[in-house]
């Protein structure tokens, strides 16, 4: 959970470094590449998480929370991605636009890469949490239905 500005900036830096490993460069912002669009979604998600966790502090935070909630919903519709806030660790990398659904009962570790057509959720309401470890690579067309616990340094394919 992101609770202060220094944590927010460290998580954003970890996300950016993960994208740089995949070949993201500064000029991609100006040519509207799909890598920049995915980074923009992750960045908006991080700001939404920060303001959601601090919404009771100030009225300005509440306004910014609703702004980033609206912006994230708009990007979710545009790119077909739905990731619940406070479910992923730092260093999240989404490759290519496409359907992704990560439910609120999921806990994903740091430095994970998720490709399109991924569904992570529960089979039935009220079940336990789905846990995915650090440094995981989730490939295309993967469906993970809980309750399940996946360790560190794992590659998951369809």
């Amino acid at each position: 959970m992101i609770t202060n500005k220094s944590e927010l900036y460290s998580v954003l830096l970890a996300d950016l470094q993960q994208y740089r490993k995949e070949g993201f460069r500064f000029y991609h912002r100006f040519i509207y590449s799909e890598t920049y669009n995915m980074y923009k979604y992750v960045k908006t998600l991080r700001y939404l998480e920060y303001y959601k966790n601090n919404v009771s502090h100030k009225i300005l935070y509440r306004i910014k929370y609703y702004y980033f909630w609206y912006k994230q919903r708009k990007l979710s519709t545009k790119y077909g991605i739905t990731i619940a806030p406070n479910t992923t660790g730092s260093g999240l990398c989404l490759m290519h636009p496409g359907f992704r659904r990560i439910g609120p009962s999921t806990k994903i570790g740091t430095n994970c890469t998720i490709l399109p057509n991924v569904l992570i959720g529960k089979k039935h309401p009220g079940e336990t949490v789905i846990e995915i470890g650090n440094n995981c690579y989730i490939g295309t067309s993967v469906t993970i239905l809980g309750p399940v616990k996946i360790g560190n340094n794992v590659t998951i394919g369809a």
Side-chain angles (χ1 to χ4, degrees):
M1 288 183 48
I2 303 171
T3 56
N4 57 33
K5 286 276 189 183
S6 62
E7 287 180 13
L8 174 65
Y9 295 138
S10 66
V11 169
L12 286 172
L13 182 62
D15 292 337
L16 184 60
Q17 288 174 348
Q18 190 74 1
Y19 274 95
R20 284 187 178 150
K21 287 180 188 175
E22 301 295 335
F24 177 67
R25 298 292 176 256
F26 178 72
Y27 65 86
H28 285 162
R29 179 178 185 173
F30 301 110
I31 61 173
Y32 295 103
S33 70
E34 63 185 23
T35 307
Y36 173 71
N37 291 334
M38 295 297 97
Y39 175 69
K40 182 170 62 172
Y41 179 85
V42 171
K43 186 176 176 182
T44 304
L45 177 67
R46 297 305 184 192
Y47 276 100
L48 176 66
E49 290 172 355
Y50 171 70
Y51 288 113
K52 180 178 182 175
N53 297 335
N54 295 306
V55 74
S56 63
H57 292 296
K58 298 177 183 175
I59 191 72
L60 183 61
Y61 279 26
R62 185 165 292 158
I63 293 168
K64 288 184 178 182
Y65 166 73
Y66 287 118
Y67 168 75
F68 282 107
W69 177 83
Y70 175 74
K71 190 173 178 180
Q72 197 243 1
R73 294 294 297 165
K74 198 171 173 183
L75 291 173
S76 292
T77 304
K78 184 175 182 179
Y79 300 125
I81 302 171
T82 303
I83 299 177
N86 298 319
T87 57
T88 60
S90 62
L92 175 67
C93 184
L94 304 176
M95 298 303 295
H96 312 294
F99 172 77
R100 286 175 194 87
R101 169 75 167 87
I102 299 175
S105 64
T106 305
K107 298 295 177 203
I108 298 176
T110 60
N111 299 326
C112 290
T113 301
I114 303 173
L115 271 61
N117 297 329
V118 172
L119 171 66
I120 303 173
K122 302 184 289 185
K123 290 181 191 175
H124 306 290
E127 288 185 347
T128 59
V129 176
I130 299 164
E131 296 180 20
I132 299 174
N134 301 329
N135 303 316
C136 290
Y137 186 88
I138 302 173
T140 304
S141 300
V142 170
T143 301
I144 301 171
L145 298 175
V148 67
K149 186 173 185 178
I150 298 171
N152 298 331
N153 303 316
V154 175
T155 300
I156 304 167

